[in-house]
Amino acid sequence: AHGRTGSSFLGQIFNSHPEVFYIYEPLITFQLTSMRNSSLYEYSTIRLLRDIFNCRFRQQTEFLSFMSHFQLNRFSSRALTSPYCKNISNARNNRTFIHCKDLDPLITSLSCALHGHTVVKVLAHRLPFLEVDRIEPLLASGSGRLKIIHLMRDPRAVIASMDRVGWSLNRSAVKTAVTNFPLFTTLVQKLCSSMIQSLRFALSAERRLPDNYRLLRYEDLVSSRLNTSQELFDFAGIPMSDQVKKYLVNSANRSRDLEYTHAYGTLRNNASNLVDAWRKHLSVEAVRAVESHCWPVL
């Protein structure tokens, strides 16, 4: 997925399944080090993903050390918190805090192996490749059982969501036409170029990887979350669980949607508002700019 397309919400649907070993954005560990600009980035990325899918964490001690201290990444994964973390009460100030031990390679490997399925959420810009020819070897490493769910969203909604959480170059440019509107256009061009590349990958993957690839629209996910989730679990070969159904119901019945108050919130209580919110948030000029550059995706 691209950022602000609902990938955290989709990931949490799988994370709520008791048989799923879920990891949130593992490749961020490379982007926060000098590895990001290294010629070994692609090799290291593929090796890490293969080790995760094969539960070989004893070879990834440095990765686990990073993940132990990345709160968002760690607490987004049930499997990386429940065996390690516990609530500790402080009688002096009557406060409770969570204490987590560092991730242990052996325990993590065993925990992964005890789960029936492994799911990883990765943003597209962190992958060193987005071509079928270069992703096929990774698919082969999973004995043909590895599946890809490719999430895409209306680029107008993506731009509006980026602006709400402060990711745009010029926030005022989104709502009104201003003198430095070209800064906003630069952001739009960059996003649309990346999404068009993803679209090319999608068209190729649907044709060449019919059993291993599924393109998913965010709009379909939030408007029919239970039926769509059932289709995704069927595609992945994972039996639907009561815990997933409970999560979907609870996430739909909150009083407000955290996407508007928290950059990585995963509550989705009003599908129609989420799908069409960009119409009220973006200026006419902003909408025209996105549509002119992203029309192939639309």
Side-chain angles (χ1 to χ4, degrees):
H2 291 277
R4 312 312 305 167
T5 58
S7 60
S8 294
F9 173 55
L10 176 59
Q12 287 307 309
I13 294 175
F14 283 96
N15 186 46
S16 62
H17 196 293
E19 294 183 19
V20 168
F21 185 90
Y22 174 72
I23 296 187
Y24 173 100
E25 295 297 336
L27 301 188
I28 195 174
T29 54
F30 293 144
Q31 290 212 314
L32 295 178
T33 67
S34 59
M35 181 64 71
R36 181 176 185 176
N37 301 314
S38 170
S39 59
L40 295 176
Y41 183 81
E42 181 170 345
Y43 166 80
S44 301
T45 295
I46 294 175
R47 181 189 172 195
L48 173 60
L49 292 176
R50 282 177 172 166
D51 285 348
I52 290 173
F53 292 136
N54 290 284
C55 297
R56 296 193 299 244
F57 290 96
R58 281 178 287 186
Q59 303 178 38
Q60 293 291 345
T61 55
E62 188 174 357
F63 164 72
L64 290 180
S65 178
F66 271 102
M67 295 296 286
S68 294
H69 302 97
F70 290 169
Q71 290 190 8
L72 175 61
N73 300 64
R74 186 168 189 182
F75 284 98
S76 293
S77 170
R78 173 184 49 80
L80 297 184
T81 54
S82 54
Y84 297 99
C85 303
K86 61 180 180 179
N87 293 335
I88 297 179
S89 299
N90 189 326
R92 182 178 300 176
N93 53 20
N94 197 29
R95 295 180 62 184
T96 300
F97 62 96
I98 300 175
H99 174 72
C100 298
K101 296 180 180 178
D102 286 351
L103 295 170
D104 178 81
L106 177 59
I107 295 176
T108 305
S109 297
L110 292 174
S111 174
C112 175
L114 288 172
H115 288 77
H117 309 273
T118 301
V119 177
V120 173
K121 181 187 90 79
V122 180
L123 292 185
H125 75 271
R126 294 193 173 116
L127 285 170
F129 44 76
L130 201 60
E131 301 171 4
V132 173
D133 288 337
R134 297 170 72 187
I135 211 168
E136 281 182 315
L138 184 61
L139 292 174
S141 69
S143 302
R145 295 183 294 114
L146 195 63
K147 305 293 182 74
I148 300 171
I149 296 175
H150 186 177
L151 181 66
M152 294 192 76
R153 185 182 186 182
D154 186 328
R156 295 166 296 194
V158 174
I159 287 290
S161 182
M162 291 172 66
D163 180 66
R164 276 197 298 269
V165 298
W167 285 14
S168 64
L169 293 174
N170 189 335
R171 296 186 63 110
S172 61
V174 177
K175 299 180 178 63
T176 58
V178 293
T179 55
N180 49 0
F181 192 75
L183 291 175
F184 171 73
T185 304
T186 299
L187 172 71
V188 169
Q189 289 174 330
K190 183 177 180 179
L191 172 68
C192 291
S193 176
S194 182
M195 292 190 77
I196 290 171
Q197 180 185 5
S198 284
L199 180 61
R200 293 193 185 103
F201 171 76
L203 296 174
S204 177
E206 282 190 320
R207 184 179 69 257
R208 296 175 54 182
L209 306 170
D211 298 326
N212 300 83
Y213 176 86
R214 172 72 182 267
L215 178 63
L216 171 66
R217 295 196 327 151
Y218 170 81
E219 291 77 10
D220 294 333
L221 177 62
V222 296
S223 62
S224 182
R225 65 195 77 196
L226 184 57
N227 289 338
T228 302
S229 296
Q230 180 66 65
E231 292 175 1
L232 294 176
F233 276 85
D234 289 343
F235 164 74
I238 304 174
M240 176 60 75
S241 72
D242 291 337
Q243 292 90 334
V244 172
K245 294 178 181 178
K246 182 179 180 180
Y247 172 78
L248 291 169
V249 171
N250 290 341
S251 68
N253 292 332
R254 301 299 179 91
S255 59
R256 62 188 304 184
D257 177 40
L258 284 186
E259 183 182 17
Y260 294 90
T261 56
H262 186 278
Y264 306 101
T266 57
L267 304 185
R268 298 292 182 269
N269 64 308
N270 192 320
S272 59
N273 283 351
L274 286 172
V275 170
D276 296 327
W278 62 267
R279 298 178 184 276
K280 296 181 180 180
H281 189 82
L282 299 180
S283 67
V284 173
E285 293 82 2
V287 172
R288 287 175 177 168
V290 177
E291 292 178 344
S292 66
H293 292 286
C294 264
W295 66 265
V297 180
L298 293 169

